[in-house]
Amino acid sequence: MLNLNKLDKKYQHYSIIICVLLFVTYILEPMWGFSIEQQNKLVLLKKKAAKYNVLIEGADTLEELNTQATFDEKKALAYMFKERDSSKLKLLVQTQIEKILQESQCEMNRIGWKSDEPVVDDIFKWELEVLFNGSPTCLLSFNRKIENVIPLYNVEEFKYRGRDWVGNPSEKLSGEVTLSILQYIKEVQ
């Protein structure tokens, strides 16, 4: 080490300043930087720990939500057609509609399939159009029965028309109904 007694009196204070500068530059400053870096890491770790604690505390809520979603999915499946093959689906739907028209004492003209479009990965929405003739009670009966069938038929549009209708219940009217159905194509467990 440096012997301060051997130096001239006027240079002793320079040597002290140089020693202090060396000490600050090579010892204190790196230690200070390391300390700040460790404090920043500690703050980040505390934030991560807080986030993990929130997630862990919310795990019960997530499990409850998942259970409720599974339950709701099973309930919703009752309202969807589970035929995976589109031709079997069309045959099943057409048979059900013809049966409802017959029960309502309506005369079927035509059932036409408009389109199918995916709603989500495993669910398709089909639209179809039903044309039929009958009395006003037939139209009313068909509308009520189609809304109460499970799997669900959603009535998108309902039109009726007649010639010179004067309100007589025995007069013939034409009905045009646009229906939509949901098809679940995933394997049901």
Side-chain angles (χ1 to χ4, degrees):
M1 189 85 192
L2 191 59
N3 191 354
L4 295 177
N5 292 334
K6 290 184 181 178
L7 289 176
D8 231 354
K9 288 276 186 195
K10 64 179 184 176
Y11 297 117
Q12 280 184 353
H13 66 280
Y14 291 128
S15 61
I16 292 173
I17 291 175
I18 290 175
C19 288
V20 168
L21 286 175
L22 288 173
F23 180 76
V24 166
T25 304
Y26 291 108
I27 297 174
L28 280 182
E29 191 175 321
M31 285 177 65
W32 180 258
F34 180 74
S35 172
I36 289 178
E37 185 180 320
Q38 292 300 319
Q39 286 175 351
N40 289 339
K41 283 183 181 179
L42 182 63
V43 168
L44 289 174
L45 287 173
K46 284 182 181 178
K47 285 182 181 179
K48 279 185 181 179
K51 286 181 182 178
Y52 288 142
N53 286 336
V54 168
L55 287 175
I56 290 170
E57 290 170 3
D60 294 336
T61 307
L62 290 176
E63 283 182 33
E64 289 173 14
L65 289 174
N66 188 27
T67 305
Q68 183 65 36
T70 305
F71 178 72
D72 289 345
E73 179 184 11
K74 288 179 181 176
K75 278 178 37 180
L77 284 177
Y79 296 103
M80 295 184 218
F81 288 89
K82 295 167 199 75
E83 291 292 332
R84 297 177 78 194
D85 185 28
S86 61
S87 60
K88 289 181 181 178
L89 172 75
K90 289 179 180 180
L91 183 62
L92 175 67
V93 169
Q94 186 168 342
T95 306
Q96 283 183 350
I97 290 175
E98 286 174 356
K99 181 181 175 194
I100 293 171
L101 284 169
Q102 188 178 22
E103 289 173 359
S104 302
Q105 298 175 349
C106 297
E107 178 186 318
M108 183 183 73
N109 290 343
R110 178 176 66 91
I111 295 178
W113 292 87
K114 284 185 171 181
S115 66
D116 67 322
E117 58 186 50
V119 178
V120 289
D121 291 339
D122 302 326
I123 299 174
F124 282 87
K125 178 181 177 182
W126 289 82
E127 279 197 12
L128 59 141
E129 185 178 69
V130 181
L131 300 174
F132 58 96
N133 296 325
S135 66
T137 54
C138 150
L139 295 171
L140 184 62
S141 176
F142 174 78
N143 196 23
R144 285 187 178 167
K145 287 180 181 180
I146 202 72
E147 288 177 344
N148 292 323
V149 174
I150 294 179
L152 185 68
Y153 289 86
N154 187 27
V155 178
E156 300 287 334
E157 189 175 7
F158 191 93
K159 299 178 193 173
Y160 59 90
R161 58 188 161 272
R163 287 201 180 128
D164 298 326
W165 188 59
V166 291
N168 189 354
S170 63
E171 290 185 71
K172 295 288 183 187
L173 296 173
S174 296
E176 181 181 327
V177 181
T178 303
L179 301 170
S180 65
I181 60 169
L182 295 175
Q183 177 191 22
Y184 187 71
I185 60 170
K186 190 177 178 183
E187 192 74 31
V188 179
Q189 298 156 348

